[in-house]
Amino acid sequence: MHHYRISGWTLATEVPLPHLFPCSAPSGGAGVDITLRLGSVPPPQAPLRLDRDGIQVGADGRTVIDVPDCVRIGLTDGRDIIVDPAPGAPWPEIQTWLLGPGLGVICHQRRVLPLHACAIRVGNGALGIVGNSGAGKSTTATAMVQRGHRLLGDDVLVADPETGVAQPCFPMVKLWDSSRNALEIGREGQQAVGRKVGKWHMPMLAAFDSESRPLSAIVHLRADPSAQRPVLTRWPRAHAAAVLDAMIYRAYLADALHGRRHVLSAAVQLAARVPVWELARTTDFADLPEMLDMLEGLVSA
């Protein structure tokens, strides 16, 4: 068996997952949190609670992710994963689904708050960067790493609403060609993200921080076509909670599995503990150095 740490959990798997952070097998009677094996994935139990974006949630909460010509993934109780790859399907593409929607399902099955976010260690604290797809989260996180900071995770961020502590996810980001060009990054050691032409898995094991860190700030990143330079605004607590609630990773999974109340409650708790800001940026990242100065200032303040 191969063992990895992801979002504060220990994962035991039959197959190697090189995009994850490796760890030793638990000792002293401690068990693993999540197991992954290869096998056939049965359909979810009828009647379905959810059928959306290739994800089905059964009446008992068991969830199936079905990606035609790639993989079927079955997830039960936030603990058991069955992976059924299609013949010839590339593992980088399979891992894209495992570490995105699959991890999101695990979080929601466990009633844990997953933000659609990157996280960076700055000093002894962490900076969370939330935003919709295309907001520039991964580009900004990679640029922060280029300045000497360390990556905590990309895309899905698990944060404890009571303590404000962020858990490290996995040592990799996904970048479009345009972002790699803007950051002057070559293709060495990178793999294509499945069928998304022009998007790449970029390993960052050497720049990864495997320890949990307290969040110093959360920033909602947004591209503003009218912006001439970056503008940073701190949200009052009520609005901050609404922003975090809107930035839950695939919140419709929470709706289908347990209802939304616990998610909103967690967002309110986290907003009460961690300052939440909005950073409106220009659309072409011409303001990137100024943005990074602002982000570093939030953590050092």
Side-chain angles (χ1 to χ4, degrees):
M1 296 290 283
H2 305 268
H3 292 84
Y4 302 94
R5 290 290 290 175
I6 180 170
S7 300
W9 301 307
T10 299
L11 167 68
T13 167
E14 294 180 342
V15 294
L17 299 174
H19 291 160
L20 299 187
F21 184 77
C23 68
S24 301
S27 59
V32 300
D33 301 295
I34 307 168
T35 59
L36 184 151
R37 61 185 173 86
L38 299 177
S40 177
V41 176
Q45 185 183 80
L48 295 180
R49 300 185 193 175
L50 175 76
D51 187 357
R52 173 177 172 178
D53 301 335
I55 303 176
Q56 295 183 325
V57 177
D60 57 356
R62 190 169 59 83
T63 302
V64 174
I65 301 172
D66 190 357
V67 187
D69 301 319
C70 180
V71 68
R72 279 173 60 83
I73 305 170
L75 305 109
T76 304
D77 297 333
R79 300 182 181 279
D80 298 304
I81 306 173
I82 303 175
V83 177
D84 186 6
W91 269 96
E93 183 174 2
I94 292 170
Q95 286 191 88
T96 298
W97 290 96
L98 272 173
L99 303 182
L103 179 57
V105 170
I106 290 291
C107 291
H108 286 299
Q109 286 180 338
R110 286 174 167 264
R111 301 194 184 205
V112 169
L113 180 74
L115 292 172
H116 191 192
C118 297
I120 298 294
R121 174 188 169 183
V122 181
N124 292 320
L127 175 69
I129 306 173
V130 302
N132 293 319
S133 296
K137 300 184 299 297
S138 298
T139 304
T140 304
T142 303
M144 292 287 284
V145 169
Q146 289 180 326
R147 282 199 172 193
H149 306 295
R150 300 183 71 83
L151 179 72
L152 281 169
D154 182 43
D155 209 28
V156 181
L157 173 63
V158 171
D160 186 333
E162 295 184 359
T163 64
V165 170
Q167 294 292 343
C169 193
F170 49 81
M172 182 192 69
V173 297
K174 297 189 292 291
L175 292 178
W176 291 101
D177 277 332
S178 57
S179 296
R180 295 195 315 173
N181 293 337
L183 299 172
E184 300 182 352
I185 297 171
R187 295 187 181 183
E188 184 178 355
Q190 299 176 35
Q191 295 174 308
V193 180
R195 290 163 247 189
K196 294 184 177 181
V197 177
K199 196 169 191 179
W200 305 84
H201 291 295
M202 180 176 172
M204 284 196 174
L205 185 58
F208 184 65
D209 183 8
S210 61
E211 300 294 327
S212 58
R213 301 287 172 182
L215 284 164
S216 301
I218 297 172
V219 176
H220 177 217
L221 187 61
R222 180 177 63 85
D224 183 354
S226 66
Q228 301 298 313
R229 57 178 300 274
V231 178
L232 188 63
T233 305
R234 182 169 178 176
W235 292 124
R237 185 180 299 179
H239 188 81
V243 168
L244 295 183
D245 183 58
M247 290 294 110
I248 301 302
Y249 185 85
R250 303 208 181 208
Y252 60 81
L253 291 168
D255 296 336
L257 286 163
H258 305 295
R260 194 65 169 274
R261 180 176 297 178
H262 74 284
V263 168
L264 180 56
S265 175
V268 169
Q269 281 185 289
L270 189 59
R273 176 166 289 277
V274 180
V276 179
W277 302 73
E278 179 183 74
L279 179 55
R281 66 170 181 86
T282 61
T283 55
D284 60 359
F285 274 112
D287 56 344
L288 186 57
E290 189 175 1
M291 281 175 50
L292 301 182
D293 290 342
M294 288 179 169
L295 294 175
E296 288 173 334
L298 287 180
V299 179
S300 61

